[in-house]
Amino acid sequence: MNGGTPLWVEALTALLVVVGALAALIGSFGVLRLRSFFRRVHAPTLGATVGTWGFTLATAVQVSYERGQLYLHALLITVFIALTAPVTTIFLMRAAVFRGRLRGEEIPVPGTEEPSRG
Amino acid sequence: MRRLIPSPVLSVALLLLWILLMQSVSAGTLVLGAALALFWPAVTVRLRPAPVRMRRPLVMARLFCRVVLEMLKSNAEVAWAILTQRSRDMRSGFVLIPLELRDPNGLAVLAMIVTFTPGTAWAQLSADNRVLLLHVLAIESEAALVALIKERYERSLKEIFE
Amino acid sequence: MSPLLSWALTFALGCLALGVLLALARMILGPRAEDRVLAFDCLYVNVMLVILALGLIYRSSSYFEAALLIALFGFVGSTAMAKFLLRGEVIE
């Protein structure tokens, strides 16, 4: 706290934070930029993976150094996001595939016969 | 023993979660955490449709490392595609992949891995769990993608769950 | 805090704020309901990261709980909406 944090801890934290923030920003940009829903669905995972990893690792490094002991509680958020984000995305994909077929868009149906082509 | 501790892995995971959440390893935390870790799996055993059998911790660790590396790689690829590629140059579309994995828990883990990796998203599984419909942001080669999913992920998951 | 870290954190907050605005723009533009839910999904992750960044700036661990709660409620909200789109009923 009193200016005693060594440079490498601060540099590591800064690097992790900047990489995480850039990943989250690019992900949000992709949500806005990409043209169709099925393309956009890939963009938020950037923020949920590298974005979250960067910030939680930075927090873990900072807190562990400050208290002089390993503190991994921030990684709980990583685990939590890793368990929950795919669930939402899978639900959304199913909803979009279902509604797309209702609108008459061409979405292949996975059938029992040998898949011909994607 | 099986009735008392229906799923040891889940119990250990819950205990670890509790320790992380309380941010301490004092005796009180450990006792309460152990009690909860024994209580919840036993109470919720009826809610889990299929019993989970996981083996081969080494394969699990290797799969975990692979998934993390693959995610870092596809993060970079997707970020690059978002920033630089023009819309009409992007070859995105649906891909059908035949699956051999039958265990529902293994399929659930595969769904999580595939969806959490940027660039691929799980769309639908056929009614008999044999064919997977996948949406891919940038298809480089369909064969490489099928090989990645089948050889990297599916084989490890088969070893772990079946 | 060294100028390096405070610059990095300011930069990160700027990026995340911009990210929130971009997701918000997609949420307003739509065009369909699933796009809006997806934008919400992106939005809450960004907001959670803002809270984590604030925790790093003010060196307080109570921000961690707030971030965990945002992750929890964001998940519940976006999953409920996605489920609603799938069937038109939240609870069946």
Side-chain angles (χ1 to χ4, degrees), chain B residues 1 3 18 23 36 42 50 52 61 71-72 77 82 87 96 99 108 112 114 118-119 129 145 147:
Chain B
M1 197 61 190
R3 283 177 68 93
W18 185 254
Q23 301 180 37
L36 289 173
V52 186
M71 276 178 190
L72 289 176
E77 284 170 5
I82 287 175
S87 241
L96 288 166
L99 287 183
M112 303 284 263
V114 166
N129 291 4
L145 183 79

Short mmCIF file of all heavy atoms in Angstrom, two decimals, chain B residues 1 3 18 23 36 42 50 52 61 71-72 77 82 87 96 99 108 112 114 118-119 129 145 147:
data_model
loop_
_atom_site.label_atom_id
_atom_site.label_comp_id
_atom_site.label_asym_id
_atom_site.label_seq_id
_atom_site.Cartn_x
_atom_site.Cartn_y
_atom_site.Cartn_z
N MET B 1 -21.75 -46.33 2.16
CA MET B 1 -20.79 -45.31 1.73
C MET B 1 -21.31 -44.57 0.50
O MET B 1 -21.28 -43.36 0.42
CB MET B 1 -19.46 -46.01 1.42
CG MET B 1 -18.27 -45.08 1.35
SD MET B 1 -17.99 -44.22 2.89
CE MET B 1 -16.76 -43.04 2.38
N ARG B 3 -24.34 -44.27 -0.41
CA ARG B 3 -25.51 -43.46 -0.07
C ARG B 3 -25.10 -42.21 0.66
O ARG B 3 -25.72 -41.16 0.50
CB ARG B 3 -26.46 -44.28 0.81
CG ARG B 3 -27.26 -45.30 0.04
CD ARG B 3 -28.10 -46.11 1.00
NE ARG B 3 -29.16 -45.30 1.61
CZ ARG B 3 -30.39 -45.23 1.09
NH1 ARG B 3 -30.67 -45.89 -0.02
NH2 ARG B 3 -31.31 -44.51 1.66
N TRP B 18 -16.38 -23.37 -0.98
CA TRP B 18 -16.69 -22.76 0.32
C TRP B 18 -15.45 -22.08 0.89
O TRP B 18 -15.52 -20.95 1.37
CB TRP B 18 -17.23 -23.84 1.26
CG TRP B 18 -17.70 -23.29 2.57
CD1 TRP B 18 -17.07 -23.39 3.76
CD2 TRP B 18 -18.89 -22.56 2.80
NE1 TRP B 18 -17.79 -22.77 4.73
CE2 TRP B 18 -18.92 -22.23 4.17
CE3 TRP B 18 -19.94 -22.12 1.98
CZ2 TRP B 18 -19.96 -21.50 4.73
CZ3 TRP B 18 -20.97 -21.40 2.56
CH2 TRP B 18 -20.98 -21.10 3.91
N GLN B 23 -12.69 -17.23 2.22
CA GLN B 23 -11.32 -16.72 2.25
C GLN B 23 -10.59 -17.05 3.54
O GLN B 23 -9.87 -16.23 4.09
CB GLN B 23 -11.30 -15.19 2.05
CG GLN B 23 -11.92 -14.77 0.75
CD GLN B 23 -11.89 -13.28 0.59
OE1 GLN B 23 -10.94 -12.64 1.00
NE2 GLN B 23 -12.91 -12.72 0.02
N LEU B 36 -21.63 -28.97 4.60
CA LEU B 36 -22.40 -28.59 3.42
C LEU B 36 -22.03 -29.48 2.24
O LEU B 36 -22.90 -29.89 1.46
CB LEU B 36 -22.14 -27.13 3.07
CG LEU B 36 -22.75 -26.11 4.02
CD1 LEU B 36 -22.28 -24.72 3.67
CD2 LEU B 36 -24.26 -26.17 3.95
N ALA B 42 -26.01 -35.20 -1.25
CA ALA B 42 -26.91 -36.25 -0.81
C ALA B 42 -28.37 -35.84 -1.00
O ALA B 42 -29.22 -36.65 -1.38
CB ALA B 42 -26.66 -36.58 0.66
N ALA B 50 -28.54 -38.30 -14.64
CA ALA B 50 -27.67 -39.46 -14.84
C ALA B 50 -26.52 -39.39 -13.84
O ALA B 50 -25.96 -38.33 -13.63
CB ALA B 50 -27.13 -39.47 -16.26
N VAL B 52 -22.95 -39.30 -12.38
CA VAL B 52 -21.71 -38.87 -13.01
C VAL B 52 -20.58 -39.79 -12.59
O VAL B 52 -20.34 -39.98 -11.40
CB VAL B 52 -21.38 -37.42 -12.59
CG1 VAL B 52 -20.17 -36.94 -13.37
CG2 VAL B 52 -22.56 -36.52 -12.83
N ALA B 61 -6.82 -33.31 -16.64
CA ALA B 61 -5.87 -32.18 -16.57
C ALA B 61 -5.38 -31.81 -17.96
O ALA B 61 -5.29 -30.63 -18.31
CB ALA B 61 -4.70 -32.54 -15.67
N MET B 71 -8.66 -21.89 -26.28
CA MET B 71 -9.45 -20.67 -26.09
C MET B 71 -8.62 -19.43 -26.33
O MET B 71 -9.06 -18.48 -26.97
CB MET B 71 -10.05 -20.64 -24.69
CG MET B 71 -11.32 -21.41 -24.59
SD MET B 71 -11.91 -21.36 -22.92
CE MET B 71 -13.19 -22.58 -23.06
N LEU B 72 -7.38 -19.45 -25.81
CA LEU B 72 -6.50 -18.29 -26.03
C LEU B 72 -6.28 -18.09 -27.53
O LEU B 72 -6.35 -16.97 -28.04
CB LEU B 72 -5.16 -18.49 -25.31
CG LEU B 72 -5.22 -18.40 -23.79
CD1 LEU B 72 -3.87 -18.72 -23.19
CD2 LEU B 72 -5.67 -17.02 -23.35
N GLU B 77 -7.82 -15.23 -32.74
CA GLU B 77 -8.34 -15.32 -34.11
C GLU B 77 -9.64 -14.55 -34.27
O GLU B 77 -9.82 -13.80 -35.25
CB GLU B 77 -8.59 -16.79 -34.47
CG GLU B 77 -7.33 -17.55 -34.79
CD GLU B 77 -7.57 -19.05 -34.90
OE1 GLU B 77 -8.74 -19.47 -34.82
OE2 GLU B 77 -6.58 -19.77 -35.05
N ILE B 82 -12.84 -9.91 -36.07
CA ILE B 82 -13.78 -8.82 -35.81
C ILE B 82 -13.18 -7.49 -36.26
O ILE B 82 -13.84 -6.65 -36.85
CB ILE B 82 -14.15 -8.77 -34.30
CG1 ILE B 82 -15.06 -9.93 -33.94
CG2 ILE B 82 -14.81 -7.46 -33.95
CD1 ILE B 82 -15.37 -10.01 -32.47
N SER B 87 -17.26 -8.00 -43.87
CA SER B 87 -18.40 -8.90 -43.63
C SER B 87 -18.53 -9.97 -44.70
O SER B 87 -18.75 -11.13 -44.41
CB SER B 87 -19.67 -8.09 -43.58
OG SER B 87 -20.26 -8.23 -42.33
N LEU B 96 -22.28 -29.71 -39.70
CA LEU B 96 -22.82 -30.90 -39.04
C LEU B 96 -21.68 -31.82 -38.67
O LEU B 96 -20.79 -32.09 -39.49
CB LEU B 96 -23.80 -31.63 -39.97
CG LEU B 96 -25.15 -30.95 -40.20
CD1 LEU B 96 -25.86 -31.59 -41.37
CD2 LEU B 96 -26.00 -31.04 -38.97
N LEU B 99 -21.29 -37.51 -33.93
CA LEU B 99 -20.69 -37.72 -32.61
C LEU B 99 -20.76 -39.19 -32.22
O LEU B 99 -21.69 -39.90 -32.59
CB LEU B 99 -21.43 -36.90 -31.56
CG LEU B 99 -21.21 -35.39 -31.57
CD1 LEU B 99 -21.98 -34.78 -30.41
CD2 LEU B 99 -19.76 -35.05 -31.43
N ALA B 108 -22.79 -32.78 -22.20
CA ALA B 108 -22.98 -31.46 -21.58
C ALA B 108 -21.64 -30.73 -21.49
O ALA B 108 -21.54 -29.54 -21.81
CB ALA B 108 -23.60 -31.62 -20.20
N MET B 112 -20.45 -27.19 -23.27
CA MET B 112 -19.88 -26.03 -22.58
C MET B 112 -18.57 -25.63 -23.22
O MET B 112 -18.32 -24.44 -23.48
CB MET B 112 -19.62 -26.37 -21.10
CG MET B 112 -20.81 -26.83 -20.35
SD MET B 112 -21.88 -25.49 -19.95
CE MET B 112 -21.35 -25.13 -18.30
N VAL B 114 -17.37 -26.20 -26.28
CA VAL B 114 -17.50 -25.68 -27.64
C VAL B 114 -18.10 -24.28 -27.63
O VAL B 114 -17.66 -23.39 -28.34
CB VAL B 114 -18.35 -26.65 -28.47
CG1 VAL B 114 -18.80 -26.01 -29.75
CG2 VAL B 114 -17.58 -27.90 -28.77
N PRO B 118 -14.48 -19.00 -28.24
CA PRO B 118 -14.95 -18.01 -29.21
C PRO B 118 -14.81 -18.58 -30.62
O PRO B 118 -13.86 -19.29 -30.93
CB PRO B 118 -13.99 -16.83 -29.02
CG PRO B 118 -13.36 -17.05 -27.70
CD PRO B 118 -13.34 -18.52 -27.47
N GLY B 119 -15.79 -18.31 -31.47
CA GLY B 119 -15.71 -18.77 -32.84
C GLY B 119 -16.53 -20.00 -33.13
O GLY B 119 -16.83 -20.28 -34.28
N ASN B 129 -29.06 -37.85 -30.33
CA ASN B 129 -27.72 -37.49 -29.82
C ASN B 129 -26.59 -37.96 -30.72
O ASN B 129 -25.50 -38.21 -30.23
CB ASN B 129 -27.47 -38.09 -28.43
CG ASN B 129 -28.33 -37.43 -27.38
OD1 ASN B 129 -29.15 -36.59 -27.70
ND2 ASN B 129 -28.13 -37.80 -26.14
N LEU B 145 -11.82 -28.72 -38.50
CA LEU B 145 -12.69 -28.45 -37.36
C LEU B 145 -13.25 -29.75 -36.79
O LEU B 145 -13.25 -29.97 -35.57
CB LEU B 145 -13.83 -27.54 -37.82
CG LEU B 145 -14.78 -27.14 -36.71
CD1 LEU B 145 -14.17 -26.03 -35.91
CD2 LEU B 145 -16.12 -26.74 -37.26
N ALA B 147 -11.96 -32.65 -37.07
CA ALA B 147 -10.86 -33.38 -36.44
C ALA B 147 -10.57 -32.82 -35.05
O ALA B 147 -10.36 -33.58 -34.10
CB ALA B 147 -9.61 -33.29 -37.32
#
